[in-house]
Amino acid sequence: MAKSAVVRRRKSVEAPKMTFTADEIVLRNVDDLIPFPNNPKIHTAEQIDAIAANISRFGFDQPILIDDDDTILKGHGRQLGARKAGCAKVPTIVHKGLSFEEKWAIVISDNALPAMTGFDQVRLNVGLTSLAKIDFDLKLAGLGHMALSQQMLAAAAEPEAKAAKTKTTIFLTVANRHAKKAKTAVIKALDEAGIEHNL
């Protein structure tokens, strides 16, 4: 007797209501913005230089979040970078009506959330190699502290076809009693041909 198919319907989930903290972006004097007291985030001179270089090259595209009293909640590094880049005014948005505890939560989460993850190294290498091909200043991408490996630089200098590595997957179908012998033969052949593998 055939089993009856069970059809499960997904319950429709209502999307959360999107709230915005401000109705407009306002340009303010960069020196009028007040750093949050005891901001735990450390901004090194190297990072400020990188932010300034990025602003100079690409412009200021992310407003600084401030409270009712012009105190910075998000964007301390951007303020410092903008000042170094010679910006007299910066775009800001105001988040009104926050408690002191909520302000602390915003300040800490702004820096803690990005720190929860890192880079996919393979994908990062693809991007760095692309930047190396045009001799791009890695400081502008916030990656001035990262050095390109000799292999990546060589790949960037070669034509596209030669730069790409070809991966070949070999599938072997052998009887169990011959598996070890077949694997040994394949490893030997790959080693003699100078082909990298993880067999």
Side-chain angles (χ1 to χ4, degrees):
M1 185 174 175
K3 291 183 179 178
S4 59
V6 178
V7 178
R8 288 183 181 155
R9 289 186 180 179
R10 285 187 177 180
K11 291 182 179 178
S12 59
V13 180
E14 195 173 317
K17 206 170 192 181
M18 183 64 69
T19 58
F20 295 93
T21 61
D23 297 324
E24 58 182 348
I25 296 174
V26 178
L27 286 176
R28 282 183 168 79
N29 291 327
V30 68
D31 292 327
D32 288 346
L33 305 183
I34 306 162
F36 190 83
N38 299 314
N39 174 30
K41 178 66 177 179
I42 298 170
H43 296 286
T44 64
E46 182 184 24
Q47 186 206 26
I48 300 308
D49 287 346
I51 294 172
N54 190 282
I55 290 172
S56 297
R57 174 66 178 81
F58 300 116
F60 206 112
D61 57 7
Q62 189 176 1
I64 294 174
L65 179 67
I66 59 177
D67 67 8
D68 316 64
D69 302 316
D70 293 342
T71 299
I72 300 172
L73 302 177
K74 294 183 181 182
H76 291 83
R78 274 171 277 146
Q79 182 204 31
L80 297 171
R83 187 182 285 148
K84 180 147 192 143
C87 300
K89 293 181 178 289
V90 291
T92 64
I93 55 177
V94 182
H95 200 328
K96 298 178 179 178
L98 293 169
S99 68
F100 181 68
E101 291 74 21
E102 288 173 325
K103 292 177 186 179
W104 259 116
I106 290 173
V107 170
I108 293 173
S109 65
D110 182 46
N111 296 300
L113 293 177
M116 291 174 68
T117 185
F119 286 103
D120 179 308
Q121 196 60 48
V122 173
R123 294 177 181 178
L124 177 61
N125 288 350
V126 171
L128 290 175
T129 302
S130 297
L131 296 180
K133 289 179 183 178
I134 59 172
D135 199 24
F136 187 84
D137 183 359
L138 293 183
K139 256 191 183 181
L140 297 178
L143 300 171
H145 60 291
M146 293 190 177
L148 292 174
S149 68
Q150 292 301 316
Q151 182 181 3
M152 290 167 63
L153 288 171
E158 293 175 4
E160 199 69 33
K162 291 184 179 178
K165 285 188 174 182
T166 304
K167 282 191 174 180
T168 304
T169 304
I170 302 172
F171 293 94
L172 295 176
T173 304
V174 293
N176 285 339
R177 64 180 179 277
H178 300 303
K180 187 174 180 182
K181 192 174 182 181
K183 183 177 179 181
T184 302
V186 169
I187 290 173
K188 183 179 178 184
L190 292 174
D191 288 340
E192 288 175 357
I195 299 173
E196 292 183 13
H197 61 84
N198 59 356
L199 294 175

